[in-house]
Short mmCIF file of all heavy atoms in Angstrom, two decimals:
data_model
loop_
_atom_site.label_atom_id
_atom_site.label_comp_id
_atom_site.label_asym_id
_atom_site.label_seq_id
_atom_site.Cartn_x
_atom_site.Cartn_y
_atom_site.Cartn_z
N PRO A 257 43.49 -92.52 -49.94
CA PRO A 257 43.71 -91.18 -49.27
C PRO A 257 42.95 -90.12 -50.10
O PRO A 257 42.86 -90.15 -51.29
CB PRO A 257 45.19 -91.01 -49.25
CG PRO A 257 45.67 -91.90 -50.44
CD PRO A 257 44.78 -93.16 -50.45
N ALA A 258 42.49 -89.05 -49.38
CA ALA A 258 41.60 -88.11 -49.99
C ALA A 258 42.47 -87.21 -50.91
O ALA A 258 41.95 -86.83 -51.98
CB ALA A 258 41.00 -87.23 -48.91
N GLY A 259 43.70 -86.85 -50.60
CA GLY A 259 44.53 -85.95 -51.41
C GLY A 259 44.69 -86.46 -52.85
O GLY A 259 44.24 -85.76 -53.84
N PRO A 260 45.22 -87.68 -53.01
CA PRO A 260 45.35 -88.19 -54.38
C PRO A 260 44.02 -88.40 -55.07
O PRO A 260 43.96 -88.23 -56.23
CB PRO A 260 46.04 -89.54 -54.06
CG PRO A 260 46.80 -89.37 -52.83
CD PRO A 260 45.97 -88.47 -51.98
N ALA A 261 42.97 -88.75 -54.29
CA ALA A 261 41.68 -88.93 -54.89
C ALA A 261 41.19 -87.54 -55.48
O ALA A 261 40.55 -87.51 -56.57
CB ALA A 261 40.71 -89.44 -53.86
N ILE A 262 41.39 -86.51 -54.72
CA ILE A 262 40.96 -85.16 -55.24
C ILE A 262 41.78 -84.82 -56.51
O ILE A 262 41.17 -84.32 -57.50
CB ILE A 262 41.26 -84.10 -54.14
CG1 ILE A 262 40.36 -84.30 -52.94
CG2 ILE A 262 41.06 -82.70 -54.72
CD1 ILE A 262 40.61 -83.48 -51.75
N VAL A 263 43.07 -85.07 -56.57
CA VAL A 263 43.80 -84.84 -57.72
C VAL A 263 43.38 -85.64 -58.94
O VAL A 263 43.33 -85.13 -60.05
CB VAL A 263 45.37 -85.05 -57.45
CG1 VAL A 263 46.16 -84.90 -58.74
CG2 VAL A 263 45.88 -84.07 -56.37
N VAL A 264 43.03 -86.93 -58.72
CA VAL A 264 42.56 -87.77 -59.81
C VAL A 264 41.24 -87.15 -60.21
O VAL A 264 40.99 -87.17 -61.51
CB VAL A 264 42.32 -89.27 -59.20
CG1 VAL A 264 41.51 -90.06 -60.25
CG2 VAL A 264 43.67 -89.91 -58.98
N ALA A 265 40.36 -86.77 -59.41
CA ALA A 265 39.12 -86.13 -59.76
C ALA A 265 39.29 -84.94 -60.75
O ALA A 265 38.61 -84.80 -61.76
CB ALA A 265 38.21 -85.76 -58.63
N VAL A 266 40.20 -84.08 -60.32
CA VAL A 266 40.43 -82.83 -61.11
C VAL A 266 41.14 -83.11 -62.41
O VAL A 266 40.86 -82.56 -63.45
CB VAL A 266 41.15 -81.81 -60.29
CG1 VAL A 266 42.66 -82.10 -60.22
CG2 VAL A 266 41.02 -80.40 -60.95
N SER A 267 41.89 -84.27 -62.39
CA SER A 267 42.54 -84.71 -63.64
C SER A 267 41.53 -85.21 -64.63
O SER A 267 41.66 -85.01 -65.84
CB SER A 267 43.56 -85.74 -63.34
OG SER A 267 44.54 -85.39 -62.41
N ILE A 268 40.49 -85.92 -64.15
CA ILE A 268 39.43 -86.40 -65.03
C ILE A 268 38.70 -85.23 -65.67
O ILE A 268 38.31 -85.23 -66.87
CB ILE A 268 38.42 -87.27 -64.23
CG1 ILE A 268 39.12 -88.59 -63.79
CG2 ILE A 268 37.21 -87.58 -65.09
CD1 ILE A 268 38.31 -89.49 -62.89
N LEU A 269 38.49 -84.15 -64.87
CA LEU A 269 37.83 -82.95 -65.47
C LEU A 269 38.72 -82.34 -66.55
O LEU A 269 38.15 -81.89 -67.57
CB LEU A 269 37.60 -81.94 -64.36
CG LEU A 269 36.54 -82.22 -63.33
CD1 LEU A 269 36.49 -81.10 -62.20
CD2 LEU A 269 35.21 -82.29 -63.95
N VAL A 270 40.08 -82.39 -66.36
CA VAL A 270 40.92 -81.83 -67.41
C VAL A 270 40.82 -82.64 -68.73
O VAL A 270 40.67 -82.10 -69.81
CB VAL A 270 42.40 -81.90 -66.90
CG1 VAL A 270 43.35 -81.52 -68.08
CG2 VAL A 270 42.55 -80.82 -65.74
N ILE A 271 40.80 -83.97 -68.51
CA ILE A 271 40.65 -84.89 -69.68
C ILE A 271 39.39 -84.68 -70.43
O ILE A 271 39.32 -84.48 -71.70
CB ILE A 271 40.80 -86.34 -69.26
CG1 ILE A 271 42.27 -86.61 -68.76
CG2 ILE A 271 40.54 -87.29 -70.43
CD1 ILE A 271 42.44 -87.92 -68.09
N ILE A 272 38.28 -84.59 -69.72
CA ILE A 272 37.03 -84.37 -70.30
C ILE A 272 36.99 -82.97 -71.07
O ILE A 272 36.52 -82.89 -72.19
CB ILE A 272 35.85 -84.38 -69.23
CG1 ILE A 272 35.74 -85.79 -68.68
CG2 ILE A 272 34.52 -83.85 -69.87
CD1 ILE A 272 34.78 -85.84 -67.56
N SER A 273 37.58 -82.03 -70.40
CA SER A 273 37.56 -80.65 -71.05
C SER A 273 38.40 -80.62 -72.31
O SER A 273 38.02 -80.00 -73.33
CB SER A 273 38.08 -79.63 -70.12
OG SER A 273 37.33 -79.56 -68.93
N ILE A 274 39.59 -81.30 -72.28
CA ILE A 274 40.42 -81.33 -73.48
C ILE A 274 39.82 -82.07 -74.59
O ILE A 274 39.96 -81.71 -75.79
CB ILE A 274 41.84 -82.00 -73.10
CG1 ILE A 274 42.64 -81.02 -72.19
CG2 ILE A 274 42.66 -82.32 -74.31
CD1 ILE A 274 43.86 -81.54 -71.72
N LEU A 275 39.00 -83.06 -74.31
CA LEU A 275 38.34 -83.88 -75.34
C LEU A 275 37.12 -83.23 -75.95
O LEU A 275 36.87 -83.19 -77.07
CB LEU A 275 38.07 -85.26 -74.79
CG LEU A 275 39.29 -86.18 -74.54
CD1 LEU A 275 38.82 -87.54 -73.94
CD2 LEU A 275 40.10 -86.45 -75.80
N PHE A 276 36.24 -82.70 -75.06
CA PHE A 276 34.89 -82.39 -75.40
C PHE A 276 34.50 -80.85 -75.33
O PHE A 276 33.41 -80.50 -75.77
CB PHE A 276 33.87 -83.10 -74.52
CG PHE A 276 33.99 -84.61 -74.71
CD1 PHE A 276 34.55 -85.35 -73.62
CD2 PHE A 276 33.59 -85.26 -75.77
CE1 PHE A 276 34.73 -86.75 -73.76
CE2 PHE A 276 33.70 -86.66 -75.89
CZ PHE A 276 34.29 -87.38 -74.85
N ALA A 277 35.40 -79.95 -74.91
CA ALA A 277 35.05 -78.62 -74.79
C ALA A 277 34.77 -78.04 -76.17
O ALA A 277 35.53 -78.28 -77.14
CB ALA A 277 36.16 -77.82 -74.12
N PRO A 278 33.74 -77.23 -76.32
CA PRO A 278 33.48 -76.54 -77.64
C PRO A 278 34.61 -75.70 -78.10
O PRO A 278 35.32 -75.08 -77.32
CB PRO A 278 32.20 -75.62 -77.37
CG PRO A 278 31.67 -76.24 -76.07
CD PRO A 278 32.79 -76.88 -75.30
N ARG A 279 34.87 -75.82 -79.37
CA ARG A 279 35.94 -75.03 -80.10
C ARG A 279 37.36 -75.57 -79.77
O ARG A 279 38.14 -75.81 -80.72
CB ARG A 279 35.91 -73.55 -79.80
CG ARG A 279 34.70 -72.90 -80.25
CD ARG A 279 34.53 -71.45 -79.78
NE ARG A 279 35.73 -70.69 -80.14
CZ ARG A 279 36.04 -69.50 -79.70
NH1 ARG A 279 35.25 -68.89 -78.71
NH2 ARG A 279 37.14 -68.90 -80.09
N ARG A 280 37.72 -75.86 -78.54
CA ARG A 280 39.13 -76.25 -78.17
C ARG A 280 39.17 -77.77 -78.05
O ARG A 280 40.31 -78.33 -78.12
CB ARG A 280 39.58 -75.52 -76.88
CG ARG A 280 39.80 -74.10 -77.05
CD ARG A 280 40.26 -73.46 -75.72
NE ARG A 280 40.46 -72.11 -75.86
CZ ARG A 280 41.62 -71.55 -76.13
NH1 ARG A 280 42.66 -72.25 -76.35
NH2 ARG A 280 41.66 -70.19 -76.23
#
Side-chain angles (χ1 to χ4, degrees):
I262 292 170
V263 173
V264 169
V266 75
S267 301
I268 292 173
L269 288 175
V270 171
I271 294 171
I272 292 173
S273 300
I274 289 175
L275 290 177
F276 299 104
R279 296 174 55 194
R280 291 177 180 272

